[in-house]
Amino acid sequence: MEYVVVKWLHILSSTFLFGTGIGSAWYMLFANISRDVRAIAVVARNVVIADWMFTATTAVIQPLTGFYMIHLAGYPLHSKWIMWSIALYVLAGACWLPVVWLQMRLRDIAAEAVRTGSTTLPPLYWTYFKTWVALGIPAFIAFVFIFWFMVAKPM
């Protein structure tokens, strides 16, 4: 496969990965700020779907295309910008894995509240949500730096 095609797939998948993360965080945050249990349930359900459709698939495509471009371009794997990118990607992934579990729990708790006609969510929901936010912040920062390394390739 040509370098330009692999690069295009890499950029496209990184856009989906980062964009889905930002979009999901935005809608989840503001649905939760509203405290509207029905809105929270709908948004949480859709965030989980988006995470599996977009984040999970692009999380696999990113390293595959990245390593293939490194190979095609002949960059040394031990280049600092590559090593930093990999480390930050692992950090973001380490944050994302518990976030997936948390999102599914948030979805289920909100759905149960809607089923029972509750207008409030239990304290456990808010504990999970705060943890979700706390894990999202370092993942977001990691991806901002990965984008910088991807574009600048500082040696």
Side-chain angles (χ1 to χ4, degrees):
M1 195 177 309
E2 283 188 42
Y3 183 84
V4 169
V5 173
V6 178
K7 184 176 181 178
W8 174 76
L9 288 172
H10 192 71
I11 292 169
L12 186 63
S13 66
S14 70
T15 303
F16 277 111
L17 179 64
F18 192 70
T20 300
I22 293 293
S24 293
W26 176 268
Y27 289 109
M28 190 74 138
L29 176 65
F30 284 97
N32 280 277
I33 287 172
S34 78
R35 301 278 180 163
D36 181 334
V37 175
R38 295 178 65 79
I40 292 169
V42 170
V43 170
R45 182 182 70 236
N46 288 317
V47 163
V48 169
I49 292 168
D51 233 15
W52 287 114
M53 285 179 62
F54 299 108
T55 309
T57 55
T58 58
V60 172
I61 293 168
Q62 280 293 280
L64 293 176
T65 56
F67 283 118
Y68 193 50
M69 282 192 308
I70 289 167
H71 167 74
L72 290 175
Y75 290 119
L77 193 54
H78 63 276
S79 299
K80 284 186 182 181
W81 71 271
I82 292 172
M83 299 303 292
W84 271 106
S85 296
I86 293 168
L88 290 168
Y89 195 79
V90 169
L91 171 66
C95 291
W96 179 70
L97 290 172
V99 160
V100 171
W101 181 84
L102 288 165
Q103 286 174 172
M104 291 187 293
R105 291 296 303 135
L106 293 168
R107 174 201 62 196
D108 296 346
I109 293 169
E112 180 61 24
V114 169
R115 272 193 295 281
T116 62
S118 179
T119 58
T120 60
L121 292 164
L124 180 61
Y125 179 91
W126 298 108
T127 299
Y128 285 163
F129 179 69
K130 288 174 188 169
T131 306
W132 180 85
V133 170
L135 288 167
I137 292 168
F140 170 79
I141 292 168
F143 276 116
V144 168
F145 279 101
I146 291 168
F147 267 100
W148 169 252
F149 290 128
M150 187 170 66
V151 172
K153 296 174 183 55
M155 296 295 183

